Structures are given as structure tokens and as C-alpha cells.
Amino acid sequence: MYKKGFELPHFCSFHLLDQPAGREALQQYYREFALVAKKHGTPFIFCSMTYRASRDWGQLIGYSPAGLAEMNHKAFALYREIAAETDLAADATLYSGCIGPRGDAYDTHQTITASSAEDYHASQIETFKQAGAQLVTALTLNSSQEAIGIAKAAKAAKIPSVISFTLEKNARVGSVETLKQAIETVDAATNGAPAYYMINCSHPTDFGPALDHGSWTKRIRGLRANASSLDHGMLCQLGHLEEGDATQLAHQHGELAQLYSHINVLGGCCGTDHIHVDKICDAVQHLRRHRA
């Protein structure tokens, strides 16, 4: 949107697959990240551009359920093309269906029950499975209830789930639960169904204080941080891209890697691109090489 000038209604990006220029831009975008994995010799997860490709959001931009399913399938077809083109190792490449919240991820007043979330997200999860996804990743969740519903729907579909929470400036999920409470609530309600948890759409200076050295943090395996420490609501209103300091962000990830060596899924969220992730890989691998 900011760098290439594409219109993203309601922050939907999957519709670009039906535009030649849009598809080309998406190929370039994912190719650059795949090449970062090749450069560093790491496995790679294609996390699909389907954050808004669920029923309610799709309807807002004119997609029927059948049309949404088609777009979900097209996304995975694109990733397989890029994996082949960049010669990613098949046994070190995963395809994840990305799920976004049913409502606004930053509306802390939104309420949703676990059962309604399970019912709502089940159809997209089933589409992911049919498209060949090996896991599903739910991003920017601000409710443990919605997370429970997604984890249960994925378990029913027999596909692993990843639950990623976003934190407010007070280091809480939806301004109510601590991260520890949210993770323990989901695990208790689902018998530990999620494969692991992540944090995304938050900056290390904000989510760092939510972590400690309790055993619960072992359930967190991934980080997808924002480039900027600005409030994520403000980031949506700036009208320009806030890319922060990629070198500083990488250093912060190095410090986190030193404290939490089990975290091994790294990427980026708002304001980041392949340059940020490349530097993060450099910092984390450098630290772990010297520790070994």
C-alpha cells in the first residue's frame, strides 16, 4: 500500500492475486523473504495473505464464500511456485493458513465467545486444509475466547494451530488479560491444543515486560514484531509507513534470543520487510553461534 501504491480495502491483500501487477508484486514480496531463509540456511514458513479472507471481511469487498475459498487456494498455489523458483527444501518449508480476528484486532471492547469463534473460523480452516496447508496461524488476537474457538476448530479439522496474541501498551491482551493468563486460559480450555504461541503486532519494548522466566513462556515459540514502538492504533492512522530502526530491532531480538533460546520462529509485522528480517536473522544466529 505505502511502497507500491496498491489499494487495500479494509487491509485486504488477497484480492491482488487477481490483478497482474498485484500478483507480480506479491511474488516479489514473498520471494525476498524466501531468499532470506536461503541465505541463512533456515527453514521457512509461508504465512498466507488471507488475514482478511474470512466471511465477514470478504463480504465487505464483495466476495462470496465460494470466491473466498478460491482466493485462499490461489494464495497457496502462489507459494508453491515461489518455493520451487527459489529452490526451498521441501522438508524445511511449511505452508500456513493465516487467520485474522473476526472483528477489529484493536477494538478492546469487542466480545466474542469461544463457540461462536469456532463456528465462524471453521470454514476458512477447512479451506486451508483442502488447499494443502500444514498448519494454521491466527494473528493479532486480543481475546482468549476467540483463540479457544480457533484452536478447537483447528483440532476438529485435524490441523495444527498457532495462536498469536497482540499486546497493548500496558503489556496486556485486549487491555484485560496478561499474556500468561491468556495462554494458560487457552491451554486449559483446549487441553493444550495449539502447537505453540506467538506474539505479533507489538514492539519488543512493549511485549518484553510481559515475559518472565516462568514455565509458561516455553509455549511461546514465535515473534513477529512491529518495526516501530508507536501504538498500533496510531500506526494505522499515520498515512505513511513507519519502518523504525532495523538494526536496533535486530539487536533487541538478539537480546530476546539470549533470554528465551526456545523461540525459533521469527518474522515481522507492521513496518517491517525482508531487510528487517534479514538483520534479525543475522543478530540471532550470531548470538547462538557464539553461545555454542
Side-chain angles (χ1 to χ4, degrees), residues 3-4 6 16-17 20-36 44 46 49 78-79 81-82 85-86 273-275:
K3 290 189 173 182
K4 301 290 185 181
F6 290 103
L16 296 178
L17 286 165
R23 194 176 194 281
E24 183 179 341
L26 290 170
Q27 284 177 310
Q28 178 184 354
Y29 178 81
Y30 282 98
R31 184 186 302 119
E32 287 170 337
F33 283 99
L35 290 174
V36 170
F44 186 69
F46 283 98
M49 65 191 86
L78 177 74
Y79 304 143
E81 289 178 20
I82 295 168
E85 174 194 331
T86 55
D273 62 14
H274 63 97
I275 295 171

Side-chain angles (χ1 to χ4, degrees), residues 32-276:
E32 287 170 337
F33 283 99
L35 290 174
V36 170
K38 289 282 290 185
K39 171 184 172 181
H40 292 278
T42 68
F44 186 69
I45 301 174
F46 283 98
C47 193
S48 65
M49 65 191 86
T50 53
Y51 178 79
R52 292 295 206 214
S54 62
R55 184 179 67 236
D56 288 0
W57 292 103
Q59 286 177 349
L60 289 176
I61 58 172
Y63 278 85
S64 66
L68 279 177
E70 180 183 3
M71 298 307 289
N72 278 283
H73 278 268
K74 283 184 177 181
F76 287 96
L78 177 74
Y79 304 143
R80 293 188 188 97
E81 289 178 20
I82 295 168
E85 174 194 331
T86 55
D87 196 30
L88 290 176
D91 62 353
T93 304
L94 290 174
Y95 300 89
S96 177
C98 178
I99 297 173
R102 183 174 186 174
D104 187 339
Y106 311 120
D107 178 3
T108 57
H109 301 293
Q110 180 197 357
T111 58
I112 186 170
T113 66
S115 60
S116 65
E118 182 177 0
D119 178 69
Y120 176 78
H121 292 290
S123 59
Q124 189 178 22
I125 290 172
E126 185 57 38
T127 299
F128 289 150
K129 187 176 180 180
Q130 293 171 4
Q134 295 153 297
L135 69 158
V136 297
T137 301
L139 295 180
T140 62
L141 297 184
N142 66 8
S143 159
S144 59
Q145 289 302 299
E146 187 162 21
I148 290 167
I150 292 170
K152 285 186 173 181
K155 185 176 182 179
K158 297 182 179 179
I159 185 169
S161 63
V162 177
I163 298 297
S164 186
F165 289 110
T166 186
L167 303 181
E168 303 294 334
K169 281 289 187 180
N170 61 4
R172 289 179 177 263
V173 176
S175 294
V176 178
E177 300 171 292
T178 65
L179 182 60
K180 178 179 186 287
Q181 287 170 335
I183 289 173
E184 290 181 343
T185 296
V186 175
D187 271 349
T190 65
N191 292 319
Y196 60 90
Y197 292 84
M198 293 204 310
I199 301 168
N200 84 291
C201 208
S202 182
H203 190 268
T205 57
D206 294 325
F207 67 72
L211 303 174
D212 58 36
H213 290 290
S215 59
W216 68 275
T217 61
K218 296 291 186 183
R219 293 289 281 136
I220 303 171
R221 298 296 299 273
L223 301 175
R224 289 182 58 176
N226 287 349
S228 168
S229 62
L230 288 176
D231 177 81
H232 40 223
M234 184 179 294
L235 288 172
C236 294
Q237 300 171 15
L238 287 176
H240 66 268
L241 196 63
E242 192 65 36
E243 297 180 274
D245 184 328
T247 300
Q248 182 185 54
L249 187 67
H251 176 72
Q252 289 165 326
H253 277 76
E255 291 179 334
L256 287 165
Q258 190 167 19
L259 292 170
Y260 307 100
S261 59
H262 60 281
I263 294 178
N264 62 352
V265 180
L266 300 168
C269 203
C270 298
T272 63
D273 62 14
H274 63 97
I275 295 171
H276 295 76

